[in-house]
């Protein structure tokens, strides 16, 4: 990983506090075990082979997951992803994945309606089936620089939390870096990658603190997040997210009774009479 990032043996050796011979031997052993050549070397210049480029993302993910697992940050609860991360300054992030059946059994009409609309739309962002829930969605696109937000619905959580002016100025920017370092960031990208690669859907409950107000003071928030894979009109991959603050999140080790109340102005109001597909089922 270090050599792939630096593409310079001397720099990699210095960064790893190793020796040239040791690093070369480790690369050779890795290539032998994998049965592929990971690097080309010409005039002492390193470059990744195609096999090296294909192997690198998984290597980064493996090391990130192992590091977080070793610290007790990441594990599985009921065979689904669970993240429990804290920093010495008091900032924390808790995330627990849940089966999609919780959407159908839950109290949120908006969650059920959005999941139905997404399924009926075939994931096409401009499909008419999504039009009535699109104002509540955040839309992402994957680029070479990472995930960027390309659309904030006027009724979405981001707009309610930060305000419309900041939301508009954030369009086209990469997702903001969260505290916790690179390995933690890669861990949090896992749901994005999973949904994008499978073009499926995923439900998570999250409890954390997010900056708010002019001074950007951290404020506690908890929410359910429904992520869905989709496509833009040109056929490129999109990802939709519905983030809905809820009082009773279900995360192991998090006592909702001890959490601060959710600010009333960020609650999402969805008129159940606008739920076209749920009404049809009731009828």
């Amino acid at each position: 990983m270090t050599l792939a990032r630096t593409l310079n043996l001397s720099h990699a050796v210095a960064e790893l506090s190793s020796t040239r011979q040791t690093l070369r031997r480790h690369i050779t052993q890795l290539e032998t075990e994998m049965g592929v050549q990971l690097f080309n070397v010409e005039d002492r210049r390193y470059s990744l082979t195609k096999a090296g480029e294909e192997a690198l993302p998984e290597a980064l993910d493996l090391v990130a997951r192992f590091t977080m697992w070793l610290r007790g940050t990441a594990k599985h609860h009921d065979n689904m992803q669970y993240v429990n991360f804290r920093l010495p300054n008091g900032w924390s992030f808790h995330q627990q994945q849940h089966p999609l059946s919780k959407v159908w059994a839950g109290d949120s009409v908006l969650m059920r309606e959005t999941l139905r609309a997404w399924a009926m739309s075939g994931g096409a962002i401009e499909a008419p089936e999504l039009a009535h829930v699109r104002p509540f969605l955040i839309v992402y696109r994957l680029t070479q620089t990472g995930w960027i937000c390309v659309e904030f619905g006027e009724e979405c959580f981001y707009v309610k939390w930060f305000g419309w002016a900041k939301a508009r100025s954030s369009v086209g920017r990469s997702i903001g870096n969260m505290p916790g370092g690179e390995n933690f960031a890669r861990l949090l990208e896992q749901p994005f990658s999973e949904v994008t690669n499978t073009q499926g859907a995923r439900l998570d409950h999250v409890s954390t603190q997010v900056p708010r107000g002019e001074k950007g003071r951290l404020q506690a928030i908890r929410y359910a997040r429904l992520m869905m894979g989709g496509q833009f009109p040109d056929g490129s991959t999109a990802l939709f997210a519905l983030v809905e603050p809820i009082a009773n999140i279900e995360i192991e080790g998090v006592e909702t009774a001890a959490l601060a109340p959710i600010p009333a102005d960020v609650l999402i109001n969805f008129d159940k009479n606008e739920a076209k597909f749920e009404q049809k089922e009731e009828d």
Side-chain angles (χ1 to χ4, degrees):
M1 285 166 44
T2 305
L3 185 58
R5 175 165 45 80
T6 62
L7 294 177
N8 184 294
L9 187 65
S10 297
H11 291 171
V13 165
E15 188 171 325
L16 295 168
S17 299
S18 184
T19 66
R20 300 172 73 90
Q21 293 77 10
T22 298
L23 184 53
R24 286 198 192 98
R25 184 175 73 253
H26 285 174
I27 294 296
T28 300
Q29 289 174 340
L30 186 60
E31 291 178 328
T32 300
E33 288 291 333
M34 296 182 69
V36 296
Q37 183 179 344
L38 300 173
F39 293 91
N40 289 318
V41 186
E42 295 182 9
D43 296 329
R44 298 184 181 181
R45 294 181 180 180
Y46 282 77
S47 62
L48 281 168
T49 63
K50 186 176 186 298
E53 292 176 350
E54 293 174 345
L56 181 60
E58 183 65 14
L60 293 167
D61 286 341
L62 283 170
V63 172
R65 290 200 300 270
F66 172 74
T67 302
M68 294 295 102
W69 172 82
L70 191 62
R71 295 175 182 174
T73 294
K75 61 180 183 179
H76 277 67
H77 182 74
D78 292 335
N79 296 314
M80 308 195 90
Q81 188 191 41
Y82 172 83
V83 177
N84 179 8
F85 188 84
R86 295 179 182 274
L87 288 178
N89 64 3
W91 183 81
S92 64
F93 184 92
H94 308 274
Q95 174 181 290
Q96 184 168 325
Q97 183 181 6
H98 289 281
L100 287 175
S101 59
K102 281 192 178 294
V103 173
W104 308 126
D107 296 328
S108 174
V109 176
L110 178 58
M111 281 273 174
R112 293 195 296 271
E113 183 70 5
T114 300
L115 190 54
R116 288 189 176 104
W118 167 77
M120 297 182 72
S121 72
I125 184 61
E126 298 296 343
E129 292 86 352
L130 274 174
H132 65 303
V133 296
R134 190 167 174 178
F136 301 93
L137 301 181
I138 304 171
V139 183
Y140 299 91
R141 181 192 293 273
L142 181 60
T143 68
Q144 291 183 344
T145 59
W147 291 97
I148 63 171
C149 301
V150 296
E151 179 183 311
F152 295 102
E154 59 268 25
E155 297 294 330
C156 76
F157 168 75
Y158 191 100
V159 170
K160 287 180 174 289
W161 186 267
F162 292 106
W164 183 242
K166 184 170 183 178
R168 291 185 63 184
S169 65
S170 297
V171 172
R173 293 184 180 180
S174 299
I175 298 176
N177 292 327
M178 299 182 72
E182 181 180 352
N183 287 331
F184 180 63
R186 290 196 70 86
L187 188 68
L188 294 189
E189 286 183 359
Q190 182 178 330
F192 285 79
S193 299
E194 174 190 317
V195 171
T196 301
N197 293 336
T198 63
Q199 284 294 285
R202 169 172 168 149
L203 176 67
D204 292 278
H205 285 189
V206 176
S207 176
T208 186
Q209 300 87 41
V210 179
R212 197 178 191 208
E214 293 183 1
K215 296 183 179 180
R217 293 179 179 174
L218 291 176
Q219 189 169 341
I221 187 61
R222 55 193 184 274
Y223 53 83
R225 182 184 65 196
L226 177 64
M227 304 174 74
M228 300 151 285
Q231 307 87 37
F232 291 104
D234 63 359
S236 58
T237 302
L239 186 145
F240 318 139
L242 170 63
V243 176
E244 184 174 14
I246 58 172
N248 297 317
I249 55 169
E250 297 180 35
I251 301 177
E252 182 186 14
V254 176
E255 296 293 335
T256 56
L259 299 175
I262 297 174
D265 60 331
V266 303
L267 295 175
I268 295 178
N269 299 313
F270 179 72
D271 190 339
K272 64 180 181 180
N273 293 322
E274 296 295 323
K276 300 178 181 179
F277 308 119
E278 181 150 305
Q279 284 183 336
K280 288 182 179 180
E281 287 201 354
E282 290 176 353
D283 293 343

